[in-house]
Amino acid sequence: GVYCSLVLKRAIPETTKMMRFIQVVLALLLAVPASAVKLEAGSEACPDDSSEWARYKTIVCDMREACGCSETLCEQDWCNGYMRKWKREFGACSAKPCPLTAAEAAKVQG
């Protein structure tokens, strides 16, 4: 009687904590957008001849030079948010490298 009562009083809060933990984990998993899942470069989810790749090159790749962007950071603050937003939006296409700009090609040729 008394022992069962003590066990139940301790077990119920532990069960509640576990349920809360499971709810939080599930909420976090559901909150991650599908586009945030990184795909391998060259993935067929964004083939070179697709209209999505053409849009990506226009919206993201063409802006790199204007914004002065490197792989991870842009010279102009507003460009950082712009690039982050569009790379997330394009998902698989953002895993592919942008074509070289004229300036980048000239550096490579030396």
Side-chain angles (χ1 to χ4, degrees):
V2 175
Y3 180 74
C4 287
S5 162
L6 290 174
V7 170
L8 285 177
K9 284 182 182 177
R10 289 191 65 179
I12 291 173
E14 293 301 319
T15 303
T16 305
K17 288 178 187 176
M18 182 57 80
M19 291 299 290
R20 175 59 62 193
F21 174 76
I22 291 170
Q23 289 173 338
V24 169
V25 169
L26 286 174
L28 289 172
L29 288 173
L30 294 174
V32 175
S35 62
V37 177
K38 186 147 181 138
L39 299 175
E40 289 183 27
S43 169
E44 290 306 312
C46 186
D48 290 344
D49 61 350
S50 71
S51 61
E52 196 72 358
W53 176 241
R55 285 184 63 230
Y56 180 79
K57 288 191 301 186
T58 301
I59 294 172
V60 176
C61 296
D62 291 351
M63 285 298 292
R64 287 182 317 144
E65 192 169 15
C67 288
C69 298
S70 67
E71 280 297 313
T72 56
L73 195 61
C74 299
E75 291 174 2
Q76 299 180 35
D77 285 338
W78 72 269
C79 289
N80 289 313
Y82 174 89
M83 291 297 191
R84 194 169 30 256
K85 172 191 179 280
W86 282 107
K87 284 181 177 185
R88 196 172 323 140
E89 189 75 25
F90 281 103
C93 289
S94 66
K96 296 170 68 170
C98 287
L100 294 177
T101 63
E104 291 169 335
K107 277 185 180 179
V108 170
Q109 290 178 350

